[in-house]
Amino acid sequence: MKQMKRALSMLLVIAMLALTAISCGNGGETVGENTTTAPQGDVTTEATTTTEAETTKDPAAHDLPDDLNYTGETVNIISRDSDWVRDEISVEMLNGDVVNDAVYTRNGVVEEQLGLKIKNIFVTGDDNYAVSDKVRTAVKAGSDEFDILANSVYSTIMYTAENIFYNLYDFEYLDLTKPYWAQGFNEAASIGDGQYMCTGAAALTLYRYMFVTFFNKDMMAEVTDVNLYEVVNNDKWTLEYHYDLASQFYTDLNGNGQQDDADRYGFVCTNVAYIDPYWSSCELPILTKDENNQYVYSLDIDRMSSAVDRILKLWYDCAGSYIFASVSDAANQLIGTSAIAERRTATTTLRLVSVETEDFRNMTDRYGIIPIPKMEETQEGYQTFLHDQFTAFGGVATVKESRLQMMGAFLEAMAAESYKSLVPTYYELALKTKYVSDEESGQMLDMIYQSIYIDAGVLYTKSLSSIHQTLRSVIQSENNTVASQFKTIGKVVEKLLGKLNDSLTAIQ
């Protein structure tokens, strides 16, 4: 295992693995080697002499010409002004915070390198559709006020068939095969000969929005001598193991003889978005690809039913579990973080961004981080689910074609510089030094990053009868209704998927 304090070059290798392991298709199969840039046509090759500079070039460096300059131009980006994402694209000034200052410095480097200005047009509010709605309205009106959209992927990619984005393969300087672009996302989001959104190192939500298991280390030590890091490394961290562990912790703290939210538990969770991670952790792909890069409905009903049996047992048949009704995204996060910090639960499911909350910053006890439990020991490794509100980028379709070269160069420079400076700052300095309390959790983060799994069925869920949310309704019912619910919705999804494939292919 890697040590916490590693050289920057090793960090970049880890970051590369993190971004290229974001995968879709067969659970756990890294697709970072599958490139999805546009076909290049016939290329005549000639024998050349490889120089020392060429052989030693950093593979993570961009290939933009040194003399590229867009003096006097401004790139207009539309993005969300909401918690955990407002500092991804721009910040107002240096303020001493390492992440804030890294974003500010990155933008300065990109502006100087390309001779342009970055204008970030914030859309205020927590409605993730606000940004996509503004872009759709602009496109319908023929307005070119926005160049690039940076928004929640699930509330944006569903509108791709409306022809609101350029095909990214038409951007001259955009090389999506580079390690600062998420290769697994490319695999999931590409369709036929096109791709309309991309993500990578410039999006901090690729890290912040991973679902993980937090545990209170001091509570654990008082009840059991189990080392959860060893359990994970030995492939024992399963839903059944989580059930057995949580069962050891229930205490009727208020002495009223009944379970309520004032008692102590082994597992606390809320019952909407925090159900979603099991899609990945239990290896339940919704969509895969065929030989023509078209989507195929691939849900295994029998495996889904087995997974639901295990989830229901942990959630509702375990004396050590307490499941809160969902309130809101912000409130649900506070339920989990406060329960860990106040010693009311030994474990909880949260997004990684919770390490940045006040509850964890002021926590007296020590906490640890491990993956979401997998379905069974025979699974190879652990799979990580990204909250579908992570940020992706698209080029707005009404932008003049004369600006496409600049937009491609900007995206490329932004991602490359983020990979070089922002990712190490957030990952090594902020996460592993400021937020994570032990070396083992740092090692777990490496494992978690390298096993992110993206399913196109989650990305396009709103175009497919919200299929990924059907698991939520099954778990909320406290009964295994997989056979009836998914067989019914499966027929609908197959019809909708045919239309989705056709509509996305048609705009190419």
Side-chain angles (χ1 to χ4, degrees):
M1 300 296 287
K2 308 173 185 70
Q3 297 300 313
M4 279 287 289
K5 294 183 179 180
R6 49 175 62 83
L8 179 60
S9 59
M10 179 60 72
L11 170 65
L12 292 177
V13 171
I14 294 170
M16 182 187 302
L17 289 172
L19 290 170
T20 58
I22 298 177
S23 51
C24 171
N26 298 326
E29 181 179 343
T30 299
V31 296
E33 296 178 356
N34 295 337
T35 60
T36 57
T37 51
Q40 300 301 308
D42 294 333
V43 178
T44 301
T45 59
E46 298 179 359
T48 60
T49 302
T50 302
T51 66
E52 182 178 352
E54 290 173 330
T55 60
T56 59
K57 182 177 180 179
D58 182 359
H62 62 64
D63 296 322
L64 298 175
D66 292 337
D67 59 352
L68 201 60
N69 192 290
Y70 300 100
T71 303
E73 295 285 357
T74 297
V75 174
N76 300 297
I77 307 171
I78 181 170
S79 69
R80 295 171 284 177
D81 183 15
S82 54
D83 291 344
W84 314 124
V85 299
R86 65 170 51 91
D87 63 347
E88 281 186 307
I89 307 303
S90 68
V91 294
E92 291 186 0
M93 63 185 71
L94 297 170
N95 66 5
D97 177 83
V98 293
V99 176
N100 175 94
D101 292 358
V103 171
Y104 185 89
T105 302
R106 173 201 65 190
N107 288 4
V109 170
V110 172
E111 287 181 331
E112 181 177 358
Q113 178 184 357
L114 297 180
L116 49 71
K117 293 295 181 182
I118 300 170
K119 181 180 179 181
N120 188 12
I121 303 166
F122 279 120
V123 177
T124 304
D126 294 326
D127 181 3
N128 288 293
Y129 290 94
V131 172
S132 51
D133 286 346
K134 280 186 174 294
V135 170
R136 294 171 69 207
T137 299
V139 170
K140 289 177 182 178
S143 170
D144 61 355
E145 59 185 308
F146 309 124
D147 292 318
I148 292 171
L149 170 146
N151 194 36
S152 158
V153 64
Y154 94 97
S155 58
T156 308
I157 202 168
M158 61 184 287
Y159 299 119
T160 302
E162 294 182 6
N163 218 0
I164 64 172
F165 295 127
Y166 274 105
N167 188 337
L168 293 174
Y169 298 162
D170 294 333
F171 285 23
E172 179 180 350
Y173 287 126
L174 188 60
D175 185 355
L176 295 178
T177 69
K178 289 287 191 176
Y180 37 78
W181 295 112
Q183 300 307 314
F185 181 86
N186 293 342
E187 174 68 14
S190 65
I191 176 75
D193 295 324
Q195 183 173 334
Y196 301 88
M197 299 195 78
C198 60
T199 193
L204 289 177
T205 42
L206 279 184
Y207 302 89
R208 287 171 166 164
Y209 280 7
M210 295 185 304
F211 283 97
V212 299
T213 302
F214 284 91
F215 66 96
N216 185 309
K217 295 181 68 176
D218 294 321
M219 281 184 65
M220 289 286 299
E222 293 170 3
V223 175
T224 177
D225 60 359
V226 166
N227 183 323
L228 281 181
Y229 301 123
E230 290 184 0
V231 172
V232 171
N233 287 329
N234 291 330
D235 286 323
K236 302 292 186 181
W237 181 234
T238 63
L239 287 167
E240 184 70 28
Y241 195 103
H242 199 181
Y243 169 89
D244 292 337
L245 179 69
S247 300
Q248 303 176 48
F249 281 88
Y250 176 70
T251 304
D252 185 5
L253 292 180
N254 57 15
N256 64 358
Q258 61 184 19
Q259 290 186 329
D260 54 39
D261 59 9
D263 293 338
R264 186 182 75 170
Y265 295 93
F267 175 58
V268 159
C269 200
T270 56
N271 68 346
V272 177
Y274 296 110
I275 295 172
D276 296 349
Y278 297 117
W279 280 107
S280 293
S281 72
C282 294
E283 292 187 353
L284 303 169
I286 301 171
L287 299 184
T288 56
K289 294 283 193 69
D290 64 16
E291 65 277 6
N292 297 315
N293 202 32
Q294 300 286 311
Y295 295 123
V296 178
Y297 183 58
S298 305
L299 188 64
D300 185 331
I301 298 295
D302 291 336
R303 182 171 179 81
M304 170 69 77
S305 183
S306 295
V308 166
D309 281 340
R310 291 166 168 83
I311 297 167
L312 291 175
K313 180 180 179 181
L314 168 65
W315 279 48
Y316 299 112
D317 295 335
C318 178
S321 296
Y322 191 85
I323 307 302
F324 288 81
S326 177
V327 181
S328 67
D329 186 38
N332 295 343
Q333 179 171 269
L334 289 174
I335 287 171
T337 58
S338 62
I340 284 282
E342 296 168 7
R343 312 185 102 246
R344 289 184 287 106
T345 187
T347 68
T348 190
T349 299
L350 289 167
R351 295 170 303 181
L352 184 62
V353 72
S354 294
V355 299
E356 302 179 42
T357 63
E358 185 176 351
D359 279 329
F360 279 166
R361 289 200 307 267
N362 298 330
M363 186 171 168
T364 301
D365 285 355
R366 300 166 300 156
Y367 65 84
I369 300 171
I370 55 176
I372 301 296
K374 54 186 178 177
M375 176 174 153
E376 55 200 355
E377 290 184 23
T378 54
Q379 284 181 220
E380 184 177 348
Y382 300 87
Q383 305 300 328
T384 302
F385 187 88
L386 272 177
H387 192 187
D388 53 19
Q389 293 182 21
F390 69 89
T391 299
F393 305 89
V396 181
T398 45
V399 175
K400 294 181 177 62
E401 290 190 10
S402 60
R403 293 174 64 83
L404 294 189
Q405 184 195 82
M406 180 180 69
M407 289 166 56
F410 166 75
L411 285 170
E412 193 74 359
M414 183 88 153
E417 184 58 31
S418 297
Y419 187 87
K420 177 182 177 181
S421 60
L422 180 60
V423 169
T425 298
Y426 182 76
Y427 187 86
E428 189 74 6
L429 296 181
L431 280 180
K432 289 192 171 184
T433 301
K434 184 177 181 180
Y435 298 127
V436 173
S437 62
D438 57 29
E439 180 175 342
E440 291 88 351
S441 284
Q443 295 168 351
M444 290 292 110
L445 287 179
D446 291 346
M447 175 189 296
I448 292 165
Y449 285 165
Q450 292 169 28
S451 61
I452 293 174
Y453 178 97
I454 291 179
D455 192 320
V458 175
L459 299 183
Y460 281 102
T461 187
K462 293 297 184 181
S463 300
L464 301 172
S465 195
S466 298
I467 182 171
H468 100 280
Q469 296 180 5
T470 303
L471 178 59
R472 298 178 183 179
S473 62
V474 170
I475 300 302
Q476 290 164 359
S477 74
E478 302 184 30
N479 291 289
N480 190 342
T481 58
V482 167
S484 59
Q485 289 211 46
F486 278 96
K487 284 182 179 178
T488 298
I489 197 174
K491 296 176 182 179
V492 175
V493 168
E494 288 187 333
K495 292 181 179 179
L496 292 173
L497 184 59
K499 295 179 180 178
L500 179 65
N501 279 328
D502 291 343
S503 61
L504 293 177
T505 301
I507 65 174
Q508 296 171 24

